[in-house]
Amino acid sequence: MAGAIIENMSTKKLCIVGGILLVFQVIAFLVGGLIAPSPTTAVPYMSVKCIDVRKNHHKTKWLMPWGPNHCEKLKDFDEAVSRQIEANDIVFAVHVPLPSKEMSPWFQFMLFIMQLDIAFKMDNDLKENAEITLDVSLAYRDDMSDDWEEIAHAIEIRKLKCTFGSPKTLESEGRHYDCDFLPFMEIGSVAHKYYLINIRLPVNERKGINVGIGEIKDIRLVGIHQNGGFTKVWFAMKTFLTPSILIIMVWYWRRITLMTRAPVLLEKVIFALGISMTFINIPVEWFSIGFDWTWMLLFGDIRQGIFYAMLLSFWIIFCGEHMMDQNERNRLSGYWKQVGPIAVGSFCLFIFDMCERGVQLKNPFYSIWTTEVGTELAMAFIIVAGICLCLYFLFLCFMVFQVFRNISGKQSSLPAMSKARRLHYEGLIFRFKFLMLITLACAAMTVIFFIVSQVTEGHWKWGDITIQVNSAFFTGIYGMWNLYVFALMFLYAPSHKNYGEDQSNGDLGVNSGEELQLTTTITHVDGPTEVYKLARKEAQE
């Protein structure tokens, strides 16, 4: 009787927890859709052509496109030709942000892409596979009266990929090429109010620098930064979720330490998954509001990589530990074939990220895709990581197939088993199917919302209500994987309670000569998990 009461309480507990998690999941989507603005904003900038013929006599090398100390401007290159101003004396200046506005640390990062307006001329045609050399400088200041302080200076080369839709004849002169956007700059923090970009196109015919690149009319930049309103919502979610996962982690590990046995492999992996989730959740981004931490983008990539590697490893080990009659269990070394591709793929992506964002910590204008060697190296890392991912999913699908095949065999022989063994296998079957269902649902929602966010305009408008789809995707999926980890630790935490004689082998009718296989985390001696108690109650009914 006492056992039935406890099991009813466990069932109610599961239903309550499931309902609470569902409510939080809906809230996570609504927070992004209704409260947060769009995650990012794109701002177009048109460079101003400045004259720098007396650059050796200037008090400052920085040329401002507007303001009280603005540079001497050129309307177009025809004016430069008429005034006999050389190309080496022209500087393209861009001030970030636009007039009467300020940048903010809440913007988190700045990403710039470049578009060149190149006109066709018969005597200055754009050569095939042409490369443009950029002499670029970046500076900042926090007050309009302050002097500019240099952040970075570099000489970068970009490949031009342009097409011309008309015949190259005299009648087509002046028409513009259709050129791809070029990667220009990325900074992992926005710690200052004002930024200034100066771009020079040095020409050296003897060395072939900037020769055969056509007639460049203008340089346009598009700056992309995170919206401050979205950043505040994102930080608030991290601040709320961090103690939530920490509390369930402490509770989960305390349950395990109260057992008379040592923790088994699956329990350790679930705990490690909780640690990796907490590593993502800890809102260290709050410090980026007061400190110029340009490494935050790289640090965020590393944190996500650790979590995804841990999540993929958990799925493999979870399937392996549910091979009901498999002897090679509870040892990480038994999964080296499946976990190996995860380690290799993660390492390749880490090296790729270090080659890109790691170098950008010193040179924000750098891009690994701008050179042939860099492109081949990056593609090699990505291809190896892709092959490892394919191998992983092949292993995972094979293991899931094996588990379901074992389940089918066990289900047909369940009625002939003793009650204890039948309950044990029913618990294994129930929790495996239960987690597979949740995992597929989470994966499906991630893919669906990603596709929707890519094909829609970024928001839906229903009457007076505007739903930001992209923001809902970020907050909803982030909250969903937190709830997934939370549910794992709750459902698979062993109970330390004593369930009395109704749980003994004699009461459940186990023959003395029959071996009871309890090699997974569900054990009668140390207490069942919440899922096991639910399955046990259903079997007894």
Side-chain angles (χ1 to χ4, degrees), residues 23-159:
V23 169
F24 276 111
Q25 179 61 79
V26 173
I27 292 175
F29 280 109
L30 292 179
V31 164
L34 300 179
I35 298 178
S38 176
T40 57
T41 294
V43 181
Y45 296 93
M46 172 66 79
S47 65
V48 173
K49 292 177 278 293
C50 296
I51 304 174
D52 194 18
V53 293
R54 297 184 301 153
K55 50 183 175 291
N56 294 329
H57 304 285
H58 281 183
K59 294 181 180 179
T60 175
K61 65 177 180 178
W62 302 104
L63 300 178
M64 273 282 292
W66 46 262
N69 298 318
H70 68 80
C71 65
E72 184 181 355
K73 302 177 185 179
L74 283 173
K75 292 182 180 180
D76 50 40
F77 284 97
D78 292 336
E79 180 185 351
V81 172
S82 63
R83 295 174 57 180
Q84 297 183 342
I85 299 174
E86 297 181 357
N88 288 326
D89 296 329
I90 298 175
V91 177
F92 296 85
V94 176
H95 187 279
V96 180
L98 297 172
S100 72
K101 294 185 178 181
E102 295 181 356
M103 302 300 287
S104 167
W106 292 102
F107 293 164
Q108 291 294 288
F109 69 89
M110 289 193 299
L111 172 67
F112 284 87
I113 56 177
M114 172 187 286
Q115 185 177 30
L116 300 174
D117 291 344
I118 304 177
F120 168 72
K121 286 194 71 174
M122 292 292 292
D123 58 349
N124 189 13
D125 191 14
L126 178 65
K127 294 182 180 179
E128 188 176 356
N129 298 322
E131 293 182 342
I132 184 171
T133 300
L134 307 171
D135 184 346
V136 289
S137 301
L138 176 67
Y140 76 89
R141 66 183 181 186
D142 293 307
D143 190 274
M144 294 299 290
S145 60
D146 292 344
D147 293 331
W148 291 102
E149 299 288 339
E150 183 178 282
I151 297 177
H153 171 263
I155 296 178
E156 295 291 327
I157 297 176
R158 298 289 189 268
K159 285 188 176 182

Side-chain angles (χ1 to χ4, degrees), residues 153-358:
H153 171 263
I155 296 178
E156 295 291 327
I157 297 176
R158 298 289 189 268
K159 285 188 176 182
L160 297 178
K161 296 181 180 179
C162 304
T163 58
F164 194 69
S166 302
K168 292 185 177 181
T169 60
L170 287 173
E171 291 75 14
S172 299
E173 281 197 347
R175 295 184 180 180
H176 285 196
Y177 286 88
D178 183 13
C179 297
D180 293 346
F181 285 98
L182 302 175
F184 181 68
M185 182 182 73
E186 185 174 30
I187 298 181
S189 69
V190 189
H192 306 287
K193 294 181 180 180
Y194 310 105
Y195 293 86
L196 179 63
I197 301 171
N198 280 180
I199 306 172
R200 302 171 187 266
L201 303 179
V203 176
N204 189 321
E205 295 184 3
R206 183 173 59 85
K207 295 182 178 180
I209 298 176
N210 286 334
V211 176
I213 60 173
E215 184 174 312
I216 296 179
K217 293 293 188 180
D218 284 301
I219 296 179
R220 305 172 189 267
L221 298 180
V222 177
I224 301 171
H225 62 78
Q226 189 164 293
N227 277 329
F230 178 82
T231 303
K232 294 175 183 178
V233 172
W234 190 253
F235 285 9
M237 283 195 68
K238 280 177 166 281
T239 306
F240 171 76
L241 290 171
T242 298
S244 304
I245 298 297
L246 277 174
I247 290 171
I248 192 68
M249 279 178 58
V250 172
W251 174 84
Y252 173 78
W253 195 247
R254 182 176 177 274
R255 284 288 188 99
I256 293 175
T257 55
L258 289 173
M259 299 296 99
T260 58
R261 56 170 172 78
V264 295
L265 177 61
L266 187 57
E267 291 170 339
K268 294 177 182 177
V269 172
I270 292 176
F271 186 70
L273 185 63
I275 293 176
S276 64
M277 190 77 255
T278 304
F279 190 41
I280 287 183
N281 288 341
I282 295 176
V284 294
E285 290 86 353
W286 282 111
F287 293 101
S288 66
I289 304 302
F291 299 93
D292 188 10
W293 287 356
T294 57
W295 45 266
M296 284 303 298
L297 288 177
L298 178 62
F299 183 61
D301 289 345
I302 293 173
R303 290 196 294 178
Q304 289 186 38
I306 292 174
F307 171 73
Y308 288 129
M310 201 65 242
L311 181 65
L312 297 178
S313 301
F314 163 73
W315 287 341
I316 283 288
I317 294 173
F318 178 82
C319 292
E321 293 300 288
H322 283 77
M323 300 288 188
M324 300 178 188
D325 296 320
Q326 179 180 316
N327 295 324
E328 294 292 328
R329 282 186 300 194
N330 203 28
R331 292 189 300 110
L332 184 60
S333 58
Y335 297 97
W336 69 270
K337 292 181 181 179
Q338 295 86 354
V339 178
I342 301 174
V344 173
S346 300
F347 179 75
C348 289
L349 293 178
F350 171 73
I351 296 299
F352 167 74
D353 214 29
M354 289 299 296
C355 292
E356 176 80 0
R357 284 183 168 166

Side-chain angles (χ1 to χ4, degrees), residues 471-484:
S471 298
F473 168 75
F474 283 110
T475 60
I477 299 304
Y478 173 62
M480 181 186 69
W481 287 112
N482 270 275
L483 296 176
Y484 180 83

Side-chain angles (χ1 to χ4, degrees), residues 270-504:
I270 292 176
F271 186 70
L273 185 63
I275 293 176
S276 64
M277 190 77 255
T278 304
F279 190 41
I280 287 183
N281 288 341
I282 295 176
V284 294
E285 290 86 353
W286 282 111
F287 293 101
S288 66
I289 304 302
F291 299 93
D292 188 10
W293 287 356
T294 57
W295 45 266
M296 284 303 298
L297 288 177
L298 178 62
F299 183 61
D301 289 345
I302 293 173
R303 290 196 294 178
Q304 289 186 38
I306 292 174
F307 171 73
Y308 288 129
M310 201 65 242
L311 181 65
L312 297 178
S313 301
F314 163 73
W315 287 341
I316 283 288
I317 294 173
F318 178 82
C319 292
E321 293 300 288
H322 283 77
M323 300 288 188
M324 300 178 188
D325 296 320
Q326 179 180 316
N327 295 324
E328 294 292 328
R329 282 186 300 194
N330 203 28
R331 292 189 300 110
L332 184 60
S333 58
Y335 297 97
W336 69 270
K337 292 181 181 179
Q338 295 86 354
V339 178
I342 301 174
V344 173
S346 300
F347 179 75
C348 289
L349 293 178
F350 171 73
I351 296 299
F352 167 74
D353 214 29
M354 289 299 296
C355 292
E356 176 80 0
R357 284 183 168 166
V359 178
Q360 286 175 349
L361 296 179
K362 291 293 184 180
N363 179 12
F365 304 105
Y366 175 80
S367 175
I368 195 173
W369 302 100
T370 57
T371 63
E372 290 186 5
V373 175
T375 300
E376 291 176 358
L377 184 64
M379 288 303 300
F381 283 129
I382 293 174
I383 289 172
V384 172
I387 292 173
C388 292
L389 186 63
C390 292
L391 289 175
Y392 165 82
F393 277 107
L394 287 176
F395 281 127
L396 182 62
C397 292
F398 178 70
M399 294 183 73
V400 171
F401 169 75
Q402 282 187 312
V403 174
F404 275 108
R405 186 179 62 181
N406 288 354
I407 286 175
S408 300
K410 291 298 177 186
Q411 282 180 326
S412 62
S413 58
L414 283 178
M417 293 183 181
S418 63
K419 182 175 289 187
R421 176 172 289 190
R422 175 166 52 83
L423 291 175
H424 166 64
Y425 280 121
E426 286 178 346
L428 290 177
I429 293 169
F430 180 84
R431 73 171 186 169
F432 180 79
K433 290 184 175 180
F434 182 78
L435 184 64
M436 286 299 296
L437 181 64
I438 293 179
T439 302
L440 290 174
C442 290
M445 289 180 66
T446 302
V447 173
I448 290 171
F449 269 85
F450 175 77
I451 293 174
V452 169
S453 65
Q454 296 299 309
V455 300
T456 60
E457 296 180 353
H459 63 272
W460 292 340
K461 196 169 183 65
W462 291 342
D464 296 332
I465 300 176
T466 300
I467 298 178
Q468 294 292 340
V469 179
N470 292 338
S471 298
F473 168 75
F474 283 110
T475 60
I477 299 304
Y478 173 62
M480 181 186 69
W481 287 112
N482 270 275
L483 296 176
Y484 180 83
V485 175
F486 185 96
L488 276 178
M489 286 189 284
F490 174 79
L491 295 174
Y492 297 112
S495 175
H496 64 279
K497 297 177 182 178
N498 183 12
Y499 290 91
E501 295 299 324
D502 66 322
Q503 197 166 296
S504 64

